[in-house]
């Protein structure tokens, strides 16, 4: 046929109209069709291939996703109008603590509390070496060895492994990365100056989530009856140690441009010590008790990081379910710490009923030298008379080691 019987471009011979957003089959193939060199089926196959829309979708949020719920959205192509509906995944909450036994104390119950509160996509990681200071972490970062006990809490359970500082840091796209100083040094400004800035710059440069926030765990003062030799730095006085930690945090941590916030764990613990419970929140000379102490720290982290309502927190560790009677005091201690992070607030809440349970340590097990009644070393656990049964055996929740006392 003559070339004057059709127009190249402009009209789609199969759809009969303008299609400015779609690609047409080439002019050469169109000429072949009209000249009889191609069948209509062959031309249609070419058209299907060549006129496929280069989709560019525009999102329309119907329901915003939160950490507790998935969202909804529709997506429509701005060229051809094709659309579809999809769920938006819940906003993830991925928390990594890098520290020592104090970060273990702070995070052991965190995943359970957050999960019970309804957080859909929660991961809690803890990379720790007992007793580590900032200088120790820097040395570990430089040598790159898998020296850290790495404990990762997910919906699939707890994964215990070994990792390097960088390995833990880049294992997930962490949303929150929490650092801290060694407990005895937390109130000594001179111990921060060597490598704090180096560590913060390294974390900021190497984190896999550009929007991740770097937080600081402000740790707690020792119990007043602590016999730990390091307590002498603070004249063996609990409030002297607490005030020194607060002052150091305000002077060095708060103004630091790398650090996005301070989790006032030490203040929550000190607040609860002012309640009817008293100074019973540690299981030894320095570490938090497995019941009220660790639970208070975890509730504070949950509330600080997620903004969750502490009055809605009611998950309890099965072994320590008696904590339920003390929830009003714990919630008050945490709420006041969030409101006034650098000062002690007196807890006035009363117990909800039941006998007050205070567990006294009867033995300690040291993982360094495998002896009982030995508090020397960096990694030990205490056991309590309420747990005692005939020929008792225990399994440490972090190391997984079975213990016989």
């Amino acid at each position: 046929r003559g070339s004057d019987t059709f127009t190249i471009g402009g009209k789609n011979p199969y759809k009969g109209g303008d299609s400015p957003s779609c690609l047409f089959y080439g002019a050469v193939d169109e000429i072949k069709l009209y000249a009889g060199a191609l069948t209509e089926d062959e031309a249609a196959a070419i058209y299907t291939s060549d006129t496929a829309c280069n989709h560019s979708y525009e999102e329309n949020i119907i329901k915003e996703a939160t950490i507790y719920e998935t969202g909804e959205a529709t997506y429509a192509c701005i060229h051809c109008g094709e659309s579809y509906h999809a769920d938006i995944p819940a906003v993830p909450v991925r928390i990594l603590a890098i520290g020592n036994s104090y970060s273990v104390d702070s995070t052991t119950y965190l995943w359970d509390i957050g999960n019970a509160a309804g957080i859909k996509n929660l991961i809690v990681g803890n990379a720790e070496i007992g007793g580590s200071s900032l200088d120790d972490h820097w040395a570990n970062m430089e040598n790159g060895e898998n020296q850290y006990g790495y404990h990762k809490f997910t919906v699939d359970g707890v994964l215990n492994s070994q990792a390097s500082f960088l390995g833990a840091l880049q294992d997930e796209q962490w949303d929150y990365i929490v650092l801290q100083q060694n407990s005895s040094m937390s109130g000594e400004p001179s111990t921060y100056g060597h490598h704090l800035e180096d560590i913060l710059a390294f974390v900021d440069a190497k984190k896999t989530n550009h929007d991740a926030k770097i937080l600081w765990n402000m740790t707690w003062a020792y119990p007043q009856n602590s016999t730990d030799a390091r307590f002498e730095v603070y004249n063996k006085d609990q409030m002297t140690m607490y005030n020194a930690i607060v002052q150091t945090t305000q002077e060095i941590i708060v103004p630091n441009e790398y650090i996005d916030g301070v989790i006032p764990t030490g203040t929550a613990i000190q607040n609860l010590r002012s309640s009817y419970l008293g100074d019973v929140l540690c299981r030894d000379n320095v570490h938090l008790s497995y019941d009220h102490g660790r639970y208070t720290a975890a509730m504070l982290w949950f509330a600080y990081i997620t903004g969750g309502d502490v009055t809605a927190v009611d998950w309890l560790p099965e072994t320590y379910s008696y904590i339920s009677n003390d929830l009003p005091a714990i919630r008050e201690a945490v709420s006041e710490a969030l409101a006034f992070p650098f000062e002690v607030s007196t807890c006035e809440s009363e117990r909800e009923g039941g006998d007050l349970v205070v567990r006294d340590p009867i033995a300690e097990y040291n993982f360094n030298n495998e002896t009982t009644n030995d508090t020397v070393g960096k990694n030990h656990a205490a056991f309590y008379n309420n747990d005692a049964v005939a020929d008792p055996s225990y399994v440490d929740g972090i190391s997984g080691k079975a213990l016989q006392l």
Side-chain angles (χ1 to χ4, degrees):
R1 299 179 182 181
S3 63
D4 60 338
T5 62
F6 65 94
T7 302
I8 302 297
K11 295 286 186 179
N12 184 323
Y14 287 95
K15 294 195 174 183
D18 294 322
S19 301
S21 63
C22 296
L23 300 177
F24 295 2
Y25 56 75
V28 172
D29 292 324
E30 187 171 351
I31 292 170
K32 286 182 179 179
L33 170 63
Y34 281 90
L38 292 176
T39 67
E40 290 196 7
D41 288 341
E42 290 172 332
I46 295 173
Y47 170 77
T48 300
S49 172
D50 289 352
T51 63
C53 179
N54 292 326
H55 295 302
S56 178
Y57 290 100
E58 190 172 65
E59 182 182 58
N60 177 35
I61 302 294
I62 299 172
K63 177 185 175 184
E64 292 282 357
T66 69
I67 63 174
Y68 301 107
E69 293 183 321
T70 57
E72 297 179 47
T74 58
Y75 299 84
C77 178
I78 62 174
H79 300 310
C80 67
E82 178 179 293
S83 65
Y84 65 94
H85 176 276
D87 289 335
I88 304 173
V91 177
V93 180
R94 296 161 295 204
I95 305 165
L96 174 66
I98 302 178
N100 47 47
S101 58
Y102 270 38
S103 62
V104 174
D105 279 349
S106 297
T107 60
T108 295
Y109 299 142
L110 178 56
W111 189 90
D112 290 294
I113 288 176
N115 181 64
I119 299 177
K120 294 289 187 183
N121 185 5
L122 175 62
I123 300 175
V124 176
N126 180 37
E128 52 80 21
I129 299 177
S132 289
S133 66
L134 292 172
D135 288 351
D136 293 329
H137 288 307
W138 179 248
N140 295 334
M141 291 162 63
E142 287 192 309
N143 66 43
E145 295 180 3
N146 292 340
Q147 296 176 305
Y148 288 83
Y150 182 43
H151 318 293
K152 188 174 176 181
F153 298 75
T154 72
V155 69
D156 297 319
V158 184
L159 175 64
N160 296 310
S161 61
Q162 295 294 118
S164 65
F165 190 107
L166 181 61
L169 180 63
Q170 297 188 336
D171 183 45
E172 293 279 348
Q173 288 192 318
W174 303 108
D175 301 293
Y176 302 93
I177 301 162
V178 188
L179 304 173
Q180 63 182 57
Q181 175 62 296
N182 169 278
S183 65
S184 65
M185 301 176 182
S186 292
E188 295 185 274
S190 62
T191 66
Y192 288 69
H194 298 126
H195 293 298
L196 173 62
E197 206 68 17
D198 296 328
I199 294 171
L200 291 171
F202 181 90
V203 170
D204 188 63
K206 300 296 184 179
K207 62 187 182 183
T208 56
N209 178 359
H210 176 75
D211 296 322
K213 295 183 181 299
I214 300 176
L215 304 178
W216 186 261
N217 182 22
M218 188 179 80
T219 55
W220 51 91
Y222 295 167
Q224 185 57 49
N225 63 359
S226 175
T227 59
D228 192 292
R230 298 170 296 175
F231 200 23
E232 295 179 1
V233 173
Y234 306 100
N235 299 319
K236 294 187 175 182
D237 182 76
Q238 184 178 96
M239 284 306 300
T240 297
M241 184 174 186
Y242 169 77
N243 288 329
I245 293 171
V246 167
Q247 183 174 348
T248 302
T249 301
Q250 288 179 308
E251 290 180 358
I252 296 176
I253 301 302
V254 173
N256 194 291
E257 294 183 357
Y258 283 113
I259 297 176
D260 296 290
V262 173
I263 305 175
T265 313
T267 296
I269 295 300
Q270 204 62 38
N271 288 350
L272 191 58
R273 283 169 170 163
S274 74
S275 74
Y276 57 82
L277 282 167
D279 194 10
V280 297
L281 303 182
C282 286
R283 66 182 185 266
D284 53 22
N285 286 315
V286 297
H287 298 98
L288 292 181
S289 65
Y290 295 127
D291 47 15
H292 299 82
R294 282 185 168 184
Y295 189 84
T296 301
M299 182 187 289
L300 176 77
W301 279 49
F302 161 75
Y304 183 92
I305 291 174
T306 71
D309 181 6
V310 299
T311 63
V313 175
D314 57 8
W315 174 88
L316 297 169
E318 184 177 353
T319 307
Y320 310 111
S321 59
Y322 56 80
I323 294 175
S324 61
N325 296 317
D326 305 306
L327 280 176
I330 294 173
R331 289 167 177 159
E332 181 184 2
V334 168
S335 297
E336 290 299 308
L338 293 171
F340 308 102
F342 302 120
E343 62 184 75
V344 179
S345 301
T346 302
C347 275
E348 300 178 349
S349 296
E350 298 180 358
R351 284 177 55 80
E352 289 189 332
D355 296 330
L356 178 62
V357 178
V358 177
R359 296 189 167 187
D360 298 320
I362 58 171
E364 293 200 3
Y365 185 92
N366 189 295
F367 294 123
N368 293 332
N369 54 28
E370 299 184 348
T371 62
T372 56
N373 295 312
D374 179 3
T375 61
V376 178
K378 299 178 178 179
N379 192 5
H380 57 274
F383 303 93
Y384 297 80
N385 53 13
N386 299 63
D387 293 328
V389 295
D391 190 22
S393 64
Y394 305 90
V395 176
D396 177 64
I398 296 299
S399 73
K401 293 184 178 180
L403 313 178
Q404 293 285 341
L405 297 183

